[in-house]
Amino acid sequence: MTSNPNSDFKPDSKPSSPQTHEPNQQAAALIAAQVPFMQSWLAENAALLIKDAIAWLYQQPMSRYISLDDIQKLMTDWVLAYSLSEVMRGDIKLVLQSIIYNPVNDNTPLSELIDDAQVDHLACYISRHDAQRAALIHALIGNDTFADLLTKTLHHAINDFMEGTLDKAGGVGKLMKMGRSSFERATNKNLDDKLQGYLHRNIKELSLRAEANANAHLSNDEVARLLLKGWSRIKETPLSTAQDYLNNDISNDDDNNSIEHIEDHINQSFNRLRQSDYLKTLLKSASKSWYHHHINDTIGQLATALYIDDAAIDTLANKLAPLCRDAIASPVFADHSHQMLSDFYQQPEIQKLLNKS
């Protein structure tokens, strides 16, 4: 950003102006009267001065003081340069704890956050994407992995059942095992492989039929109806139901505390993202698009987009006025004012005017 002349300012330091000898008695008397007057006048008019300063600021073009490079460096050299501090991590835990376990959740249904119109719109949007729905059904039902998994599961179940049954059948079971062995030697085929192949062919055919039936049954209207029906079942559920899936154990064992887990995942995700070239590329592109879109805007136009209007400025000025008054009344301000006036009265031209009077 543009250089800040006060970037090295220290409250307990004097201005870096050349040190001169003390002003004469006349100048000293003037300074002694002027400093408290300045403090009184500025304190009395603090709110008005703040409003005037903001009004002036609103008229200034954003690009005069903030460049695209400034914004991008702010993100890369500050926002993304550091991991979350322990203080910030602790604050995140406090906020999560306050939100998730707030008593108001007990009497607040899910429909308070999401209304029926939003769900209707979402259901209609999802139901229209029949190609994506068909791909999802195929991934869940019609793919070979699903058929193979089901085949192996049934094959193992049948084998376990047969082995257990034959072992309990005594002599008959031994005779059946001998028959199985004779069949495999005569046909040079493994009965297990034959059974598995049979199951796979039939299950694959069944999965394809199931996929076709699902696509035929899940029409656009049916998908929308199912989504709305599901919403109607859960919309009156209180938000506190989420607590049933969390553990609020506050013992020393953090492994059992869900808030600790959530915060830890937030921290890990932020650390991973802030170091990724992917996020840096996206932020660089997004900031460039935003900056060039608003390059001709004034600071006031940007503020208006955030609803910072005249009423908000009045409120802000009144809130900042006490802080400004305290700063003006501080010894730091008095010392700097005294030094500024001393330097002023030490100028040769001013000395001449004082000597004439």
Side-chain angles (χ1 to χ4, degrees):
M1 293 186 180
T2 53
S3 59
N4 182 357
N6 295 322
S7 58
D8 296 326
F9 170 78
K10 296 181 180 179
D12 57 350
S13 65
K14 298 282 187 178
S16 56
S17 57
Q19 296 296 316
T20 59
H21 58 275
E22 288 295 320
N24 58 37
Q25 291 184 349
Q26 185 180 13
L30 288 170
I31 293 171
Q34 285 175 314
V35 169
F37 174 80
M38 289 171 56
Q39 289 179 297
S40 175
W41 188 90
L42 290 172
E44 183 179 347
N45 294 278
L48 178 61
L49 292 173
I50 294 172
K51 293 177 185 178
D52 289 344
I54 295 176
W56 174 86
L57 181 65
Y58 266 38
Q59 298 173 2
Q60 307 311 306
M62 178 266 296
S63 57
R64 180 183 297 176
Y65 304 101
I66 304 174
S67 68
L68 175 60
D69 187 57
D70 292 332
I71 296 174
Q72 293 179 341
K73 283 185 176 180
L74 176 67
M75 291 185 292
T76 57
D77 297 347
W78 182 56
V79 177
L80 300 181
Y82 304 100
S83 60
L84 297 177
S85 66
E86 290 302 316
V87 173
M88 291 179 65
R89 295 186 64 179
D91 289 342
I92 290 173
K93 294 175 189 176
L94 288 175
V95 171
L96 288 173
Q97 182 78 26
S98 176
I99 292 174
I100 294 175
Y101 293 99
N102 196 300
V104 73
N105 293 329
D106 295 335
N107 301 313
T108 306
L110 187 58
S111 56
E112 186 91 1
L113 302 183
I114 307 172
D115 61 29
D116 291 341
Q118 289 176 288
V119 178
D120 288 343
H121 180 76
L122 181 63
C124 292
Y125 178 80
I126 294 175
S127 66
R128 290 196 301 267
H129 289 69
D130 46 355
Q132 289 85 344
R133 182 170 67 251
L136 178 61
I137 291 173
H138 176 74
L140 295 175
I141 300 176
N143 63 70
D144 291 336
T145 302
F146 177 77
D148 290 341
L149 179 63
L150 192 54
T151 296
K152 291 177 181 179
T153 302
L154 289 175
H155 177 253
H156 287 309
I158 292 173
N159 266 346
D160 290 343
F161 174 76
M162 292 300 295
E163 290 294 333
T165 302
L166 292 178
D167 288 341
K168 295 177 182 179
V172 177
K174 292 179 181 179
L175 183 61
M176 292 179 68
K177 287 183 179 181
M178 289 176 60
R180 171 179 175 173
S181 178
S182 299
F183 170 81
E184 291 179 346
R185 285 197 301 271
T187 60
N188 198 27
K189 294 180 179 179
N190 187 289
L191 192 59
D192 283 344
D193 292 341
K194 292 286 289 183
L195 176 61
Q196 190 163 345
Y198 173 81
L199 289 172
H200 185 271
R201 285 193 304 273
N202 284 273
I203 290 174
K204 180 62 178 176
E205 183 178 351
L206 288 173
S207 66
L208 292 175
R209 289 182 181 177
E211 180 182 355
N213 289 336
N215 280 320
H217 177 69
L218 293 176
S219 63
N220 291 355
D221 291 340
E222 181 64 14
V223 169
R225 187 188 70 80
L226 290 174
L227 290 172
L228 294 176
K229 183 178 180 181
W231 167 247
S232 66
R233 291 178 177 176
I234 65 171
K235 69 178 186 178
E236 296 305 323
T237 303
L239 296 176
S240 58
T241 305
Q243 299 170 13
D244 298 339
Y245 304 95
L246 302 174
N247 189 335
N248 196 32
D249 185 359
I250 57 175
S251 64
N252 293 328
D253 186 6
D254 291 343
D255 291 338
N256 293 327
N257 189 290
S258 297
I259 298 296
E260 295 283 345
H261 283 295
I262 295 172
E263 185 280 324
D264 187 56
H265 284 303
I266 292 174
N267 181 53
Q268 290 181 23
S269 297
F270 176 73
N271 275 334
R272 183 172 63 253
L273 285 173
R274 73 181 181 84
Q275 299 176 62
S276 70
D277 292 334
Y278 169 73
L279 181 62
K280 293 176 183 177
T281 300
L282 288 183
L283 289 176
K284 185 175 182 180
S285 176
S287 60
K288 182 178 180 180
S289 298
W290 179 89
Y291 187 85
H292 287 299
H293 182 69
H294 294 283
I295 193 168
N296 295 319
D297 288 355
T298 63
I299 295 175
Q301 288 173 308
L302 297 177
T304 301
L306 299 175
Y307 299 102
I308 304 178
D309 54 12
D310 292 341
I313 293 174
D314 289 342
T315 301
L316 178 64
N318 292 329
K319 294 296 183 182
L320 288 177
L323 173 64
C324 292
R325 293 190 188 102
D326 288 345
I328 292 167
S330 68
V332 174
F333 181 88
D335 290 343
H336 283 284
S337 299
H338 188 281
Q339 184 63 53
M340 178 190 69
L341 291 171
S342 295
D343 293 343
F344 172 77
Y345 285 116
Q346 291 302 323
Q347 296 177 94
E349 296 82 357
I350 306 302
Q351 288 288 319
K352 290 178 183 179
L353 292 175
L354 291 176
N355 291 332
K356 288 181 181 180
S357 59

